[in-house]
Amino acid sequence: MKKKLKFNFFSILFVSISIFCIAMFSVSLANWLKNRALEFENVLEDRNYHIVVTGDYENAMFLSQVFEGADSISANYNAIVELYVPQSYAQNETLQHLFDYVSFSNADAAIAFFPQNEDISELVMPERKDSQTIPIITIGNYHPQIPQVAYIGINYSEMGKKTADEARQLAGRSGQIFLLQGDIGNSTQNSNFMNSFYSELTKGYDSVSPLHIIDSVPQELELISTYSIPSGQNTVFITLNEYAAVQTSQILSAYSRLHTDIICVGNTEITESLFERGNITEIIAVDPKKIGRLAISEIFEFFALRHSNNYLNAEIQVRKAER
């Protein structure tokens, strides 16, 4: 009987301590959240402008870097920048829902990513509580029918030229260059990229082009046999999308006779991971942080002058992995 009472005493003590700890943790968490909310409200009170960066989850990494760039100069304009992006594919929202949040937050302006296949036929632009339309800087895909302060896009001709320059440098005079089939944007953007890329790449070659366009990367012996490539020769592979980059890096990891490099055009969370591990040699893409800074300057030019540049080209950067 005494054993049972002793056991019950310690059980009750353990449960009591557990409840006390949980209660203390809950109170601490509530205080932390309250203080964080108060800090954000205090910042909002100290700043005159509220800018929201928004878009879908698929472009979350890109948008977080746009946000970082915008936030880095926000104090210069007495503004606060907020990033509003779904936390997962499961929580992904339509552009209309994202715009509804911009309206709900009563933002002064927004930087919004427009996906390529988004249906915008019935899109309602965000408005402030006083019914004024909220100025929008658009990035991603250009839709001329959208009432936007400015669009920050990509110069695909310049991107094609840069890609060709980098490929020639890696391949050398006698190397081979393989372009994986794929689209880099819509038909016009893809055409601008390819025309510029091919023109720059073949400059200076009288007859034989070093370029081969392939659907997928073959095994090493098959590639050597098909294209008569001597052992040790520089071989450059160019990918235009995430799938091709992943496939190419996996197959090339088994190569041993050729010196291989991968140029990835465009960047995602997965290709960034491959780049950091050294599986991708170079990434050619726009600089999202500079897009953020450019968007903020355009917003405040619009506030000051009530007009802005309609179409701007983002700066293209070449990032090279450490060897």
Side-chain angles (χ1 to χ4, degrees):
M1 185 71 178
K2 285 183 180 179
K3 247 183 174 180
K4 191 172 182 183
L5 286 171
K6 190 176 180 182
F7 176 75
N8 287 341
F9 171 76
F10 282 110
S11 298
I12 293 168
L13 181 64
F14 175 77
V15 171
S16 299
I17 292 171
S18 299
I19 292 171
F20 176 77
C21 291
I22 291 170
M24 291 300 294
F25 174 76
S26 300
V27 170
S28 298
L29 180 61
N31 286 333
W32 181 83
L33 291 172
K34 183 179 178 181
N35 290 334
R36 184 176 171 84
L38 286 172
E39 285 175 11
F40 185 75
E41 286 176 9
N42 289 336
V43 172
L44 271 177
E45 287 176 4
D46 293 339
R47 303 288 178 89
N48 292 332
Y49 300 96
H50 177 203
I51 315 295
V52 177
V53 177
T54 191
D56 60 3
Y57 175 75
E58 189 173 345
N59 297 286
M61 185 190 80
F62 178 81
L63 286 165
S64 68
Q65 293 176 327
V66 171
F67 163 75
E68 286 179 31
D71 190 53
S72 69
I73 63 168
S74 61
N76 299 343
Y77 297 93
N78 202 25
I80 183 169
V81 181
E82 177 189 0
L83 177 65
Y84 183 74
V85 176
Q87 297 301 304
S88 67
Y89 276 114
Q91 297 175 359
N92 216 2
E93 299 178 33
T94 65
L95 190 59
Q96 184 61 69
H97 285 146
L98 298 173
F99 274 9
D100 290 344
Y101 173 80
V102 174
S103 297
F104 174 77
S105 67
N106 204 35
D108 295 287
I111 303 166
F113 189 99
F114 276 66
Q116 188 167 350
N117 299 318
E118 184 79 19
D119 181 13
I120 59 168
S121 58
E122 298 181 3
L123 186 67
V124 178
M125 300 303 290
E127 291 184 346
R128 287 175 55 81
K129 291 175 182 176
D130 58 8
S131 298
Q132 288 189 1
T133 301
I134 296 174
I136 300 289
I137 299 283
T138 59
I139 55 180
N141 290 275
Y142 181 59
H143 296 282
Q145 65 271 40
I146 292 294
Q148 53 207 308
V149 168
Y151 168 75
I152 303 175
I154 301 172
N155 185 331
Y156 285 91
S157 294
E158 182 190 354
M159 183 173 270
K161 183 178 183 300
K162 277 187 183 288
T163 304
D165 288 339
E166 294 301 317
R168 286 183 64 159
Q169 287 180 36
L170 289 171
R173 185 68 188 177
S174 60
Q176 300 294 313
I177 299 170
F178 294 87
L179 175 68
L180 276 292
Q181 287 272 26
D183 293 329
I184 197 170
N186 60 38
S187 57
T188 302
Q189 293 164 343
N190 197 60
S191 177
N192 289 340
F193 175 87
M194 288 304 301
N195 290 338
S196 177
F197 170 77
Y198 191 75
S199 175
E200 186 65 24
L201 187 69
T202 55
K203 191 184 295 181
Y205 290 90
D206 297 329
S207 55
V208 180
S209 168
L211 177 66
H212 310 282
I213 299 177
I214 57 176
D215 292 322
S216 60
V217 180
Q219 297 302 314
E220 188 174 33
L221 290 177
E222 182 184 347
L223 187 82
I224 290 172
S225 173
T226 303
Y227 298 97
S228 304
I229 304 174
S231 182
Q233 187 176 78
N234 293 340
T235 312
V236 180
F237 295 84
I238 301 169
T239 65
L240 303 180
N241 54 57
E242 180 185 284
Y243 174 79
V246 171
Q247 181 208 49
T248 301
S249 65
Q250 288 175 342
I251 295 174
L252 293 190
S253 64
Y255 276 35
S256 59
R257 301 188 182 191
L258 300 174
H259 177 84
T260 61
D261 289 293
I262 300 175
I263 296 175
C264 180
V265 181
N267 196 20
T268 66
E269 195 167 347
I270 291 176
T271 56
E272 181 67 23
S273 175
L274 291 171
F275 177 75
E276 289 174 356
R277 296 203 302 266
N279 297 50
I280 290 175
T281 312
E282 295 185 7
I283 287 179
I284 300 176
V286 293
D287 185 338
K289 291 182 181 179
K290 287 188 177 179
I291 289 177
R293 292 193 287 270
L294 179 58
I296 290 291
S297 66
E298 288 301 312
I299 285 170
F300 284 93
E301 180 179 325
F302 175 78
F303 286 160
L305 306 175
R306 306 314 297 176
H307 68 78
S308 178
N309 299 299
N310 187 43
Y311 191 107
L312 299 158
N313 286 318
E315 184 176 323
I316 296 169
Q317 64 175 352
V318 178
R319 296 166 57 210
K320 302 182 181 185
E322 294 182 6
R323 291 176 178 263

